Amino acid sequence: MASQPPIPGRRYDLTAALDDRVRALCAAPPRQGDLAHPIHAYLGALAAMPAPIGDFSRNLGLAFDAGPVLGECRLSFPSRLRVGQAYDATVEVLDLTRKPSRRFGQADHLALAITLSDQAGPASVLQFRMITPVVADD
């Protein structure tokens, strides 16, 4: 499957309280100014997808319930994520390919890019590849 047009997602409100909770959970140092912890690029991207990742995957015909694995994950920051900002997500299906797998027999490889943007433009991009076993129909 070739790349498709971006799919609009939901809004991710990056509040100071949310950033403080994330920092407390991972024992991160206190926030400096309004710069959010960079893990919000991952958390916000998944939270702001148009549907939960399981439903999104099932809608693409993947056997999500068979147990996907994360094959690759990359975060990039065209700008900085800041508390007190709302970010709109867009999801791009970069590739969906079925390949032979030593572990699963056959596996679907889904590559996604999820961008969080504010009025100034893209702030973060999560790119990941998820590998899902192909389940034979009964």
Side-chain angles (χ1 to χ4, degrees):
M1 168 190 275
S3 181
Q4 300 176 343
I7 302 163
R10 298 186 302 231
R11 184 163 275 210
Y12 183 66
D13 291 317
L14 208 168
T15 65
L18 179 59
D19 188 57
D20 290 342
R21 282 196 302 265
V22 165
R23 289 173 181 279
L25 286 170
C26 62
R31 180 176 48 258
Q32 299 294 315
D34 66 350
L35 297 180
H37 192 286
I39 195 63
H40 287 286
Y42 186 86
L43 299 174
L46 292 179
M49 288 186 69
I53 188 70
D55 293 343
F56 188 86
S57 299
R58 286 182 207 96
N59 289 339
L60 291 173
L62 303 177
F64 187 84
D65 298 317
V69 295
L70 185 60
E72 181 181 5
C73 181
R74 189 175 342 150
L75 295 172
S76 59
F77 298 89
S79 185
R80 298 294 303 264
L81 291 169
R82 299 182 183 281
V83 299
Q85 291 285 336
Y87 294 92
D88 292 314
T90 54
V91 180
E92 291 180 79
V93 176
L94 302 174
D95 188 44
L96 177 54
T97 306
R98 183 160 290 173
K99 298 180 181 181
S101 168
R102 284 178 280 158
R103 174 179 256 175
F104 304 124
Q106 291 282 314
D108 289 322
H109 292 243
L110 172 64
L112 291 177
I114 307 169
T115 303
L116 295 179
S117 302
D118 62 10
Q119 65 279 0
S124 66
V125 181
L126 166 65
Q127 287 185 300
F128 71 95
R129 182 172 298 276
M130 184 173 66
I131 303 164
T132 307
V134 173
V135 177
D137 294 330
D138 292 332

